[in-house]
Amino acid sequence: MEKLVLNGGRELSGGVTISGSKNAALPMLCASLLTKEPVGLKNVPHLRDVTTMLTLLGQIGVEFSLSEQALVVLNSANVKSLFAPYDLVRTMRASILVLGPMLSRFGKARVSLPGGCAIGQRPVDQHIKGLQAMGAEIEIGNGYISAQCKKLKGAHLKMDMVSVTGTENLMMAATLAEGETIIENTAKEPEVVDLAHLLVKMGAKINGAGTDKIVIEGVKGLYGAEHSVMPDRIEAGTFLVATAMTQGAVDLYNADPRSLKAVLDGLRKAGADVEVRDGVISLRQNQQVKAVNVSTAPFPDFPTDMQAQFMALNSIAVGQAKIEETIFENRFMHVQELRRLGAKIRVRGNLAIVDGVKCLEAASVMATDLRASASLVLAGLVANGETIINRIYHLDRGYERIEEKLASLGASIKRSN
Ligand code: EPZ
């Protein structure tokens, strides 16, 4: 099993280019199922989750080519099976995003229930409820969702809670439905907006993406299109936190500050000097970080995907911080590992109270989920001594060459078997 070996104490400096967004690329790959014409996606990040999604689409019969410049061209003209098997879906929950497009274009789909994961139950009832309201007959049995429908019909949907992939699945399904679909209480995440941009380029009629009400006018068919995936705001946030924790100075290229406002506000509260100029986000930190209270919520508020990273920051901050996780019921898996590094964290339900310590002490730790792994890397950058992070396949799901990028900024970090 691969692991990362870090020696703490070096401040990060220099510049790093942010890769394309995992959570924007994954639904876009599935959107290629909506047309028989080629869809070209640029700036697709080279990640395990993207490879898993391409494997799944390949099994369904989507043909695709990859180029060195992170360009993926997909063609769903010869789709042969409308089946997403458990052995793939269980490794990546976002596989559920093939359901809406397959049902909408082909009228049939059999997709494994994703099942839970380290951070929570992760049900998909909102996806199913919305598709049923659009006329799909859906049976659930033996761990699979079996859906069919002659032709989806537009409907007025109101989601019971904000769901990012729920919004994306229903928005994609509605593009080829008969008539108008209104979806209320939709997710406003930038990744939803980026997907809508691609769908509109493909000929879809969508209004309101980025607000809590999206209106889609169904069309007869969609065309091929080309689109460049937005930058990954969580990768950008992670590197900014790494710079603040190590009291360094780093410029982020190809990052979009508009998608990171709550995170930049948090970093400024931690004492960072953050500047945005000509598409470059520059962060300088010349003092020990200050404790920052965090409460996660749907966009535009503080992203749950940055919660673990801010817990690492607060572990070595001056003062006490309260971190509230309101989205997932079990997203504190990093706490016990951070404690192994000397962090002082108490958990009361979905609230973590972090008393900053002057310095963490290196240890061997275990990655449990994607963003928890990121928080361990951040802690290893500042801990005294050599930190070893095991099970880093979690990390590779969502970060492209993280050790190379961090090493280029001066970190002592390497991958080893
Ligand atoms: C997306 O997951 C992201 N994944 C997650 O990023 C992110 O943490 C999450 O949105 C919240 O921002 C992708 O975009 C691929 P939700 P998603 O549906 O869509 C409940 C990462 O680290 N819910 O917005 O699965 C659910 O249990 C990953 O990159 C239902 O109850 O999350 C959760 O409590 C982790 N029923 C809340 O809603 C449903 O049908 C929000 O979940 C759907 C969701």
Side-chain angles (χ1 to χ4, degrees):
M1 282 255 210
E2 286 191 315
K3 53 192 172 204
L4 284 180
V5 180
L6 298 95
N7 281 285
R10 305 218 188 151
E11 62 181 57
L12 299 189
S13 64
V16 65
T17 299
I18 297 303
S19 301
S21 163
K22 167 178 85 81
N23 290 350
L26 292 175
M28 288 179 189
L29 293 169
C30 299
S32 67
L33 287 163
L34 289 164
T35 174
K36 61 183 184 307
E37 296 181 9
V39 173
L41 297 175
K42 289 185 239 169
N43 200 31
V44 176
H46 183 66
L47 301 170
R48 273 171 68 102
D49 273 7
V50 169
T51 308
T52 305
M53 185 62 89
L54 287 170
T55 306
L56 171 60
L57 292 171
Q59 283 191 9
I60 292 171
V62 178
E63 289 145 4
F64 56 85
S65 62
L66 306 168
S67 79
E68 269 321 298
Q69 295 73 28
L71 170 69
V72 180
V73 181
L74 304 108
N75 191 319
S76 296
N78 305 314
V79 161
K80 52 184 189 301
S81 106
L82 300 169
F83 175 57
Y86 174 64
D87 62 332
L88 270 175
V89 175
R90 72 188 170 87
T91 64
M92 185 190 59
R93 307 180 25 67
S95 311
I96 192 72
L97 285 165
V98 299
L99 178 62
M102 282 204 284
L103 199 49
S104 192
R105 173 151 169 241
F106 302 102
K108 199 169 167 10
R110 184 165 149 72
V111 177
S112 167
L113 279 166
C117 72
I119 63 177
Q121 286 301 311
R122 313 290 296 275
V124 289
D125 55 291
Q126 299 297 305
H127 304 236
I128 291 166
K129 200 173 146 191
L131 292 168
Q132 285 173 324
M134 294 168 78
E137 288 152 38
I138 296 185
E139 274 174 40
I140 294 181
N142 309 104
Y144 278 85
I145 302 164
S146 301
Q148 60 178 14
C149 178
K150 205 161 158 8
K151 187 76 186 151
L152 289 178
K153 300 235 178 330
H156 190 156
L157 314 175
K158 189 160 171 39
M159 301 185 81
D160 300 332
M161 86 284 294
V162 173
S163 166
V164 174
T165 50
T167 301
E168 291 166 344
N169 230 341
L170 296 174
M171 180 168 70
M172 286 193 281
T175 57
L176 295 175
E178 248 164 37
E180 178 182 77
T181 299
I182 298 171
I183 316 173
E184 296 198 58
N185 199 21
T186 40
K188 304 179 213 167
E189 269 66 7
E191 294 78 12
V192 174
V193 177
D194 208 26
L195 172 64
H197 286 157
L198 167 64
L199 293 169
V200 167
K201 283 182 183 176
M202 293 168 68
K205 291 190 170 45
I206 300 173
N207 283 298
T211 73
D212 61 2
K213 180 176 174 183
I214 300 179
V215 182
I216 304 108
E217 185 58 45
V219 293
K220 285 250 172 302
L222 293 179
Y223 316 107
E226 269 219 359
H227 185 73
S228 185
V229 178
M230 66 175 269
D232 194 311
R233 61 194 172 103
I234 305 302
E235 183 194 23
T238 304
F239 277 100
L240 290 170
V241 170
T243 307
M245 289 176 68
T246 59
Q247 298 188 41
V250 167
D251 295 335
L252 262 58
Y253 305 114
N254 190 32
D256 179 353
R258 292 165 304 174
S259 64
L260 274 168
K261 193 182 168 313
V263 172
L264 298 184
D265 290 349
L267 288 162
R268 289 187 175 108
K269 284 186 192 135
D273 173 25
V274 181
E275 268 184 46
V276 177
R277 199 182 48 255
D278 312 328
V280 177
I281 303 177
S282 302
L283 186 143
R284 272 139 191 78
Q285 179 88 24
N286 44 32
Q287 57 187 306
Q288 188 77 9
V289 285
K290 288 181 270 187
V292 183
N293 292 333
V294 162
S295 181
T296 64
F299 192 86
D301 294 333
F302 192 89
T304 174
D305 291 349
M306 283 298 301
Q307 178 258 103
Q309 296 90 320
F310 265 68
M311 191 172 294
L313 179 144
N314 279 312
S315 298
I316 55 153
V318 176
Q320 180 184 83
K322 288 188 176 59
I323 297 182
E324 187 187 28
E325 173 55 59
T326 72
I327 306 284
F328 290 111
E329 67 269 27
N330 187 35
R331 203 169 198 177
F332 283 156
M333 303 282 278
H334 37 287
V335 168
Q336 67 260 30
E337 298 304 310
L338 288 171
R339 282 183 184 139
R340 283 179 55 76
L341 296 166
K344 297 261 177 293
I345 307 170
R346 287 167 287 147
V347 173
R348 305 270 182 280
N350 72 336
L351 184 70
I353 299 148
V354 189
D355 291 299
V357 295
K358 199 125 184 57
C359 192
L360 295 174
E361 294 307 319
S364 247
V365 288
M366 182 84 74
T368 52
D369 58 86
L370 169 55
R371 306 304 173 184
S373 324
S375 77
L376 298 178
V377 171
L378 297 174
L381 292 175
V382 298
N384 242 340
E386 183 175 89
T387 296
I388 295 177
I389 304 175
N390 299 290
R391 292 194 183 173
I392 54 167
Y393 59 87
H394 290 291
L395 201 57
D396 294 335
R397 295 189 52 174
Y399 290 93
E400 188 174 9
R401 299 176 292 110
I402 194 168
E403 72 275 12
E404 288 174 25
K405 292 188 177 183
L406 285 170
S408 74
L409 295 172
S412 163
I413 179 171
K414 64 181 188 314
R415 185 179 289 251
S416 87
N417 282 320

